[in-house]
Amino acid sequence: MFDVIIIGAGVCGASIARRLSRYKLDILILEKENDVSMGASKANSAIVHGGYAESGKELRGRICYPGRKSFKKLNEELNFGFLANGSLVLAFDEEDLKTLDKLYQMGLENGLDDMEIIDQEKLRSIEENVSDDAIGALYCKGAGVCSPYEYVIALVENALDNGVKLELNSEVVDIEKSNDTFKVETSKGETYESKFVINASGLNGAKVSSMITETNFDIHPRSGEYLIMQKGTGSRIKQVLFQTPSPKSKGILVTRTYHNNILIGPDAIDEEEIDLGTHEERLMEIYKLAQMSVKDDVLNLKEFIRSFTGLRPASSTGDFIIENSQTNGFINVVGIQSPGVTSSPEIARMVEGILVDLGIDLTEDETYNPYRKPIIEYKDLEDFNKVKDLVDLPLGNPDRLVCRCEQVSEKTIRDALNRGIELESFDAVKRRTRAGMGFCQGAFCKNRVLEVMEDEYGHPIENRKFDSEGSGLSRINKKDINEIIKKMSK
């Protein structure tokens, strides 16, 4: 019998689990995929948003800024990678300037104290590679970037260290309630009992909710495609560069990632069905629009290494849904699209408050440890000539470079494999160590990583393919981009 069952190990489920792990509670996370952070939390813009883009009339507008303010301390405790490098919403004409003023006013209403509208001169003094066509910007000093999947992984690892249980490959198929006890059945045929259930299941939010309670909302996928450039390109951009937003999106952005790649995107398309593929027409439109924000030599398709699609779980209400449902004790945390990552610390606090109102006993656990050691930390790559001899060291040598593009050692791989979650795929290691995220995208290191996994775990790794490539997804890759470059040069 658990006190709390959390359905979903994305950013919300992970944040809630870690928040509640400080109390003497029995907590279980159920996740349908083979790893944590496999949905919207894995594939997004990785921005820690300022808190000015949504009105305070909306829940997501009210909790974004409080969430953002938590990230510095969270990163100090969990070491997932956060950089408060600031954001700029660019204006290119008088209408854009009017939009900036509206955003500024919303920011003031939401309590922000670190933003200002700046003119061309100041804009160029803080962002030298911004487009010459930009005539002003809304500058938010405390916004920034993080590594979102590393954030979720860190939250779950810390929660597990503090006693939370995790079951992967466990899709919830039925929920019943009898005598104030919930019974949650999974695809494995297991049934778990709990006093409270928290539905943080992302795109499946409405489906899971309807298993147990009256559900008057829908969740639909809103897709956004992205392009990533090779490591080191991110140093050309100091702040996150937004264009003025639309009703669906915060606009095409150009930003550095935490690990110093350039990331551009996303567009925003409401989908009838889930499509995680990427498409030439959409990516080239994103690339064209992104070029408006920066000088001509900042973006170069020859530096492209990967495209991906993120799916935002957009609710029919247009806002976050965080509530005790009509089935008392079943708490919905759904419709968490942008700024979901930024808001996640505050979402966890809200859910804690709902549980308190429902009568849960929150007794502090004196053994609670909020700290988690990093698997990796940000680093610039060394001159390969200085480290190339490490590539050919034998299996078992901790200094052996398993991945040469990102210079990831065998010691780092083995550390990632022993953090409380048994990893089942190359992609799971990639998200934790960056092995396979470099220029060759795993062509060199995939089998070397799997070799270490099999040596460490003592059994074959059945999923010997990339999660994405092995699933049959159609994604624009470097070969496709090279063909596009040839067409553009004719």
Side-chain angles (χ1 to χ4, degrees):
M1 177 73 160
F2 290 93
D3 295 298
V4 179
I5 289 177
I6 300 168
I7 303 171
V11 71
C12 291
S15 295
I16 294 163
R18 195 257 182 172
R19 176 85 188 176
L20 296 179
S21 70
R22 69 191 66 207
Y23 304 112
K24 292 182 178 180
L25 297 172
D26 291 320
I27 302 167
L28 171 66
I29 308 172
L30 296 174
E31 169 55 50
K32 71 183 182 72
E33 302 291 348
N34 67 1
D35 196 8
V36 304
S37 192
M38 291 291 283
S41 305
K42 176 183 68 174
N44 56 67
S45 302
I47 307 302
V48 179
H49 289 283
Y52 51 76
E54 287 82 24
S55 167
K57 296 176 182 177
E58 299 177 345
L59 176 58
R60 59 182 182 155
R62 296 192 296 275
I63 67 175
C64 179
Y65 179 48
R68 190 245 287 184
K69 291 193 293 183
S70 301
F71 265 77
K72 183 177 183 293
K73 182 179 179 182
L74 280 170
N75 189 49
E76 289 170 351
E77 293 176 343
L78 299 175
N79 295 290
F80 55 85
F82 165 61
L83 176 66
N85 57 324
S87 68
L88 294 162
V89 184
L90 304 177
F92 297 94
D93 56 35
E94 292 301 319
E95 285 301 312
D96 286 349
L97 288 175
K98 293 177 182 177
T99 300
L100 296 191
D101 187 62
K102 291 177 182 177
L103 295 175
Y104 180 76
Q105 294 303 321
M106 285 197 295
L108 292 179
E109 292 169 6
N110 292 338
L112 274 68
D113 59 1
D114 60 351
M115 61 174 185
E116 59 179 314
I117 295 177
I118 59 176
D119 60 16
Q120 279 185 317
E121 183 178 357
K122 183 164 184 179
L123 172 59
R124 279 156 185 76
S125 71
I126 64 174
E127 190 61 76
E128 61 185 5
N129 281 327
V130 72
S131 169
D132 292 334
D133 294 330
I135 62 174
L138 175 62
Y139 176 43
C140 182
K141 187 176 181 180
V145 295
C146 71
S147 182
Y149 38 87
E150 289 180 69
Y151 173 45
V152 176
I153 290 164
L155 288 164
V156 175
E157 285 183 358
N158 186 240
L160 296 183
D161 285 344
N162 285 295
V164 172
K165 305 293 190 300
L166 170 67
E167 291 290 339
L168 298 172
N169 301 300
S170 297
E171 182 174 7
V172 172
V173 295
D174 190 39
I175 309 173
E176 296 180 355
K177 185 180 182 184
S178 177
N179 298 324
D180 295 327
T181 298
F182 289 94
K183 294 183 178 181
V184 181
E185 183 181 349
T186 73
S187 54
K188 287 182 176 179
E190 302 284 351
T191 299
Y192 302 94
E193 294 186 349
S194 180
K195 299 172 187 175
F196 302 96
V197 175
I198 298 167
N199 173 23
S201 58
L203 286 169
N204 287 322
K207 176 183 175 182
V208 170
S209 177
S210 63
M211 293 178 184
I212 186 64
T213 193
E214 184 175 337
T215 301
N216 58 0
F217 58 83
D218 296 318
I219 304 292
H220 65 273
R222 178 171 291 157
S223 72
E225 299 191 9
Y226 297 83
L227 298 93
I228 304 177
M229 308 303 179
Q230 67 191 55
K231 187 166 184 170
T233 55
S235 59
R236 299 170 195 164
I237 301 296
K238 295 177 181 177
Q239 280 82 26
V240 181
L241 304 183
F242 292 102
Q243 296 170 6
T244 50
S246 72
K248 285 186 180 180
S249 167
K250 292 181 173 66
I252 299 298
L253 62 85
V254 180
T255 184
R256 65 157 289 172
T257 67
Y258 177 75
H259 290 288
N260 204 21
N261 305 75
I262 281 181
L263 174 71
I264 63 175
D267 56 359
I269 305 294
D270 287 322
E271 304 279 10
E272 292 296 326
E273 297 181 359
I274 292 176
D275 178 10
L276 287 171
T278 57
H279 309 84
E280 178 180 336
E281 298 80 8
R282 288 177 64 175
L283 290 177
M284 289 306 98
E285 180 65 15
I286 289 167
Y287 182 71
K288 177 183 175 182
L289 291 171
Q291 287 177 304
M292 294 170 55
S293 296
V294 293
K295 292 183 176 178
D296 292 343
D297 57 351
V298 172
L299 301 180
N300 185 348
L301 275 179
K302 292 181 180 179
E303 296 171 326
F304 166 89
I305 58 171
R306 190 168 183 82
S307 67
F308 69 92
T309 294
L311 293 177
R312 288 154 273 184
S315 73
S316 54
T317 69
D319 198 1
F320 295 171
I321 300 170
I322 304 172
E323 62 183 11
N324 180 35
S325 72
Q326 293 188 37
T327 301
N328 200 43
F330 181 85
I331 301 167
N332 276 317
V333 184
V334 296
I336 312 297
Q337 53 173 317
S338 181
V341 171
T342 313
S343 302
S344 58
E346 196 65 15
I347 290 171
R349 278 189 279 268
M350 285 188 64
V351 171
E352 180 185 297
I354 292 171
L355 288 169
V356 169
D357 290 342
L358 292 173
I360 197 170
D361 179 17
L362 295 184
T363 302
E364 295 276 352
D365 186 342
E366 61 277 5
T367 67
Y368 172 70
N369 177 15
Y371 297 101
R372 173 255 189 194
K373 292 181 180 179
I375 298 174
I376 58 171
E377 296 180 273
Y378 175 80
K379 66 175 183 180
D380 293 319
L381 298 178
E382 294 187 59
D383 182 342
F384 185 68
N385 290 322
K386 295 181 179 179
V387 297
K388 64 181 180 180
D389 291 344
L390 300 177
V391 173
D392 295 324
L393 292 175
L395 176 69
N397 190 314
D399 295 327
R400 173 179 175 243
L401 283 188
V402 178
C403 170
R404 61 188 180 189
C405 292
E406 288 284 333
Q407 299 178 0
V408 181
S409 71
E410 187 171 314
K411 179 182 179 181
T412 300
I413 303 291
R414 291 185 187 274
D415 180 16
L417 298 175
N418 290 281
R419 292 292 188 113
I421 305 171
E422 182 164 336
L423 309 184
E424 297 183 10
S425 69
F426 170 70
D427 264 13
V429 175
K430 177 172 69 172
R431 286 187 290 273
R432 289 161 171 82
T433 68
R434 293 191 61 77
M437 288 194 178
F439 188 77
C440 83
Q441 288 291 291
F444 175 79
C445 71
K446 178 179 71 170
N447 287 331
R448 293 163 65 90
V449 169
L450 291 166
E451 178 187 41
V452 177
M453 294 176 72
E454 292 182 344
D455 183 67
E456 185 68 28
Y457 287 152
H459 62 74
I461 302 300
E462 295 181 3
N463 182 4
R464 295 188 64 86
K465 297 181 179 180
F466 292 91
D467 292 352
S468 51
E469 278 77 355
S471 67
L473 290 175
S474 175
R475 288 187 175 175
I476 299 296
N477 56 33
K478 284 194 291 186
K479 181 180 178 181
D480 299 322
I481 290 292
N482 288 335
E483 291 299 317
I484 292 169
I485 293 172
K486 288 179 184 178
K487 286 192 293 184
M488 291 170 63
S489 63
K490 289 182 179 178

